[in-house]
Amino acid sequence: MAVRFSNVSYIYSRGTPFEKKALSDISFEAEKGDFVCICGKTGSGKTTLIKLVNDLLRPFSGEVSLDGRSGLLFQFPEDQLFAPTVIEDVMYGPLNLGRNKDQAREGAEKALLCVGLGPELYDRNPFTLSGGQKRLAALAGVLAMKPSVLVLDEPTAGLDFRSSRSLMALLHRLNTDGVTIIMVTHEMELAQEHAKQILVLDKGRLVLSGSAGDVFSQRNRTVIEKAGLELPEPGSSL
Ligand SMILES: Nc1ncnc2c1ncn2[C@@H]1O[C@H](COP(=O)(O)OP(=O)(O)OP(=O)(O)O)[C@@H](O)[C@H]1O
Ligand SMILES: [Mg+2]
């Protein structure tokens, strides 16, 4: 087991007039080496769920268990990047884990190579990169910490077709190497192609879970449509 949610609920601004129940009674388990896609329309609780995986939020009730170290790629890379240069940004994680400067630099260079960002970008201010490059730099920063559970919030949002494909190929490779992946996506075709397990959220509730074949079967059409999603086109894949 890499991640386990047992009857997890989360409420924002509890006890105020803005109180909002974002997740209700969520239970699921991700095995080591699993590839979980979390689907659901805007506001269904996806980001809240993965913040609970990464300890950025604590459940109101229920229990979240994590085996190993998780790393989160935020929904917006601007929320993640902060250092004056790309290389310093990516070195921050390893340095924080107690690596010395040389080890951190080596780890950062490996991570940048892994995401396909070359040395010509090391000294650039991360905020001057293109949208796609920013996301890759943020991902390198997460990978440099060598998480055993990699959590990604809409990692392909805003990427063109080729960049999206190459990012998914990278995630696929990491997953084959044993990294557990938990990915939020709006794109049902991506979930269909890559997920070993799909979770569908609707208004903070887990309404479907299982393999792509199970979740995207015709008998679930009504539940999927009620959740604001569509069944992937038969035979389609990105
Ligand atoms: N900081 C907050 N304070 C109060 N309510 C919040 C807060 N963050 C999120 N919510 C509410 O919790 C619910 C779930 O939000 P969440 O961000 O988890 O949705 P999401 O599925 O990630 O949506 P999106 O696809 O738009 O990213 C929404 O109704 C949202 O308005
Ligand atoms: Mg979100």
Side-chain angles (χ1 to χ4, degrees):
M1 180 285 296
V3 178
R4 184 190 297 126
F5 274 49
S6 310
N7 307 102
V8 171
S9 297
Y10 188 80
I11 301 172
Y12 286 103
S13 310
R14 194 155 59 92
T16 77
F18 306 105
E19 181 164 306
K20 166 78 197 168
K21 189 155 197 185
L23 288 178
S24 303
D25 201 24
I26 305 285
S27 298
F28 76 94
E29 207 171 303
E31 298 297 329
K32 279 197 178 74
D34 214 335
F35 197 128
V36 182
C37 282
I38 301 171
C39 305
K41 71 174 177 193
T42 291
S44 58
K46 306 179 298 295
T47 297
T48 305
L49 192 157
I50 61 175
K51 283 186 170 166
L52 286 156
V53 174
N54 289 277
D55 224 13
L56 295 175
L57 297 174
R58 290 289 164 88
F60 163 68
S61 60
E63 199 185 338
V64 175
S65 324
L66 171 77
D67 183 22
R69 178 161 59 224
S70 69
L72 170 63
L73 182 71
F74 283 52
Q75 187 162 9
F76 305 104
E78 290 78 5
D79 293 340
Q80 195 139 22
L81 300 164
F82 67 99
T85 64
V86 168
I87 191 79
E88 287 171 278
D89 209 293
V90 181
M91 283 170 66
Y92 178 82
L95 285 173
N96 222 19
L97 292 174
R99 309 280 182 277
N100 69 33
K101 228 176 155 188
D102 287 345
Q103 292 166 331
R105 171 105 196 180
E106 193 189 327
E109 289 186 2
K110 267 197 191 140
L112 284 160
L113 183 69
C114 177
V115 302
L117 294 181
E120 70 283 1
L121 297 176
Y122 288 2
D123 296 320
R124 280 271 293 278
N125 180 314
F127 290 94
T128 68
L129 300 175
S130 75
Q133 289 170 331
K134 271 185 212 158
R135 180 158 290 137
L136 292 174
L139 178 58
V142 178
L143 293 179
M145 297 200 288
K146 297 197 176 299
S148 52
V149 180
L150 177 60
V151 185
L152 308 105
D153 200 348
E154 305 258 3
T156 60
L159 296 187
D160 64 28
F161 182 74
R162 277 186 61 177
S163 313
S164 167
R165 275 206 75 112
S166 73
L167 178 64
M168 290 313 299
L170 169 61
L171 297 184
H172 197 85
R173 237 173 25 242
L174 291 164
N175 183 239
T176 307
D177 289 344
V179 178
T180 306
I181 308 247
I182 300 186
M183 179 178 110
V184 168
T185 183
H186 273 105
E187 296 179 61
M188 298 301 105
E189 284 76 15
L190 283 187
Q192 165 147 288
E193 186 176 346
H194 294 279
K196 293 174 185 162
Q197 182 178 186
I198 295 177
L199 307 179
V200 178
L201 291 178
D202 184 11
K203 299 191 193 77
R205 292 185 179 278
L206 183 58
V207 290
L208 287 172
S209 66
S211 67
D214 285 347
V215 166
F216 292 143
S217 71
Q218 286 299 332
R219 76 187 133 80
N220 289 332
R221 177 175 286 276
T222 320
V223 182
I224 299 243
E225 288 180 355
K226 198 167 154 275
L229 305 172
E230 282 180 14
L231 284 176
E233 294 289 315
S236 73
S237 64
L238 285 176

